Structure formats: C-alpha cells, structure tokens
Amino acid sequence: GDSVTQMEGPVTLSEEAFLTINCTYTATGYPSLFWYVQYPGEGLQLLLKATKADDKGSNKGFEATYRKETTSFHLEKGSVQVSDSAVYFCALIPTYTGTASKLTFGTGTRLQVTL
Amino acid sequence: ETGVTQSPTHLIKTRGQQVTLRCSSQSGHNTVSWYQQALGQGPQFIFQYYREEENGRGNFPPRFSGLQFPNYSSELNVNALELDDSALYLCASSSGQGLYEQYFGPGTRLTVT
C-alpha cells in the first residue's frame, strides 16, 4: 500500500540555519505530495503541495520538489526562524480516481529552532 | 469565513463507553474527512463523507461510524471504546473529492481510561 517515510526528529537548529527534512514515498502511479505543519495545540495547516513530477511547491520561504526518480519530496528552508518551530508532516494522495481523497501521512518531524 | 470547528476540545471516557465527536465544515465545503492521530504519530484516515454518503474508509473497525448532515457538518461515533482509541481526532473539510485542499480543524483530544 501507499506509505510515507520521514526523517526522525527532533531536529534542533539555530535561528537562520538551513533546514532540510527528508521525505520519501511509496505509491503506485503518480500521487500528489504535500507538506503540512502542526503548531502546538492546533490542527494541521497545508504548507505546500506538488501534483506532478518536477513540480516545486513553495510557501513562506519553504520549498519542496517532487522527484519521481528518487520518490522524494524533501522540505527545505534557507533560514529558519523561532516561529517555524512545529511538527512537519509529509503526505500523499494517490492518483485521483474520483473517489475518496485519502491523505496518507508520515510520522512527522518535530523542528525546534533556538535563538 | 469561519474555518473548520470541532467539539468538544477534550473528552475523557471509560473503556466500553460510546462517544460522539462533532465537526462543522468550512462554509461552501461538501466533503468531510476524519483522521485519528495517536501521540507521536501521523494522522490515519478513518473515512470520508461526500454529500452525506460515506465514499471511502480506512482500516478501522465498524465500531467507528459517522454521519454527514444536509448542512455538511459531520459526526464521528465510536462504540465500545478501547484504551487504544485514545488519540487526537481531526476533521478536515474540502470543496470536493480528489485534490481539493483539505482544511483541518483543531481536533478533539479523546482519552480512554
């Protein structure tokens, strides 16, 4: 079945450091890929998405590129801020078949940014 | 525009009891999905409702059931609660099936003792 694997956390960085959170997936066909962020005590927010190979999703300084050849969708940010501290989830939706759009999530990676 | 809301925020139940969780979808959204997020894990898909019909289900037993109402709000019912049902239950609404963005509510934290 479909699955998403993320690097384990927590990831601890100093403010202004470069961030990479690795994500790889297993799915048939051409899934759509997502990064969600969960701040403490809140629900999930969509951070960015990519729906086909070589697409780059970007938002709020974060970006990720859909790499079909390596089945990866790594999240990057050039300079993190303390306010970026949260849990980040990589997720996919299988190739759309007209039925339920089921998100399959990774286990999440906690990011802690310190001054 | 009101976002997705869920009630209650927290709930404590005893093993064997039944629970109902509620979700109000975002205005204009006709699709609601429910997810279970155990501590330290990613959310797991329970089921999805589209225009009042269940149109997809994850690997959850029949004691997890749901409803969607004409105003597209939704309920998640869990019977015969087990300790492993303790989790954050997330509701997400979208404006259709497929690749429409799913907007998540803040969740209901259920503790089963």
Side-chain angles (χ1 to χ4, degrees):
Chain A
D2 302 326
S3 66
V4 175
T5 302
Q6 289 180 238
M7 63 188 289
E8 289 196 21
V11 174
T12 303
L13 295 173
S14 298
E15 201 169 45
E16 299 183 2
F18 184 86
L19 168 71
T20 300
I21 299 178
N22 290 338
C23 170
T24 57
Y25 68 89
T26 301
T28 55
Y30 301 90
S32 292
L33 303 175
F34 304 82
W35 277 100
Y36 280 83
V37 58
Q38 188 173 36
Y39 296 102
E42 298 184 14
L44 300 172
Q45 299 175 26
L46 178 63
L47 183 59
L48 53 84
K49 68 180 181 183
T51 57
K52 61 183 188 295
D54 299 324
D55 266 2
K56 177 184 285 189
S58 61
N59 186 26
K60 300 180 181 178
F62 291 89
E63 59 182 35
T65 301
Y66 188 141
R67 300 287 189 200
K68 188 176 184 305
E69 64 274 15
T70 54
T71 62
S72 65
F73 193 54
H74 304 320
L75 182 67
E76 297 182 334
K77 186 176 186 184
S79 176
V80 294
Q81 305 299 311
V82 172
S83 57
D84 294 326
S85 298
V87 181
Y88 292 82
F89 292 93
C90 185
L92 67 82
I93 289 181
T95 306
Y96 176 56
T97 62
T99 56
S101 47
K102 164 191 168 183
L103 278 162
T104 296
F105 288 89
T107 54
T109 302
R110 181 174 300 278
L111 171 65
Q112 290 180 284
V113 181
T114 59
L115 290 171
Chain B
E1 184 178 85
T2 306
V4 179
T5 60
Q6 294 186 242
S7 62
T9 306
H10 295 91
L11 202 52
I12 300 175
K13 290 287 190 178
T14 303
R15 191 171 49 184
Q17 287 187 316
Q18 178 266 340
V19 69
T20 297
L21 310 182
R22 294 177 176 82
C23 171
S24 291
S25 58
Q26 188 164 311
S27 177
H29 287 184
N30 57 18
T31 303
V32 172
S33 304
W34 286 92
Y35 293 83
Q36 180 195 66
Q37 185 179 12
L39 200 60
Q41 300 298 313
Q44 299 288 316
F45 177 76
I46 303 175
F47 42 56
Q48 184 177 82
Y49 279 83
Y50 172 65
R51 293 184 175 178
E52 303 179 59
E53 297 285 333
E54 183 183 301
N55 74 333
R57 189 178 184 91
N59 190 26
F60 281 82
R63 58 190 187 83
F64 285 78
S65 63
L67 281 174
Q68 187 178 31
F69 300 99
N71 67 354
Y72 302 128
S73 66
S74 178
E75 287 183 353
L76 165 65
N77 299 290
V78 187
N79 293 322
L81 284 167
E82 301 178 359
L83 296 179
D84 285 349
D85 295 334
S86 295
L88 180 68
Y89 288 84
L90 296 166
C91 165
S93 73
S94 59
S95 52
Q97 301 172 88
L99 298 179
Y100 294 95
E101 180 176 344
Q102 296 186 31
Y103 292 82
F104 283 81
T108 294
R109 173 72 63 185
L110 172 64
T111 302
V112 182
T113 62

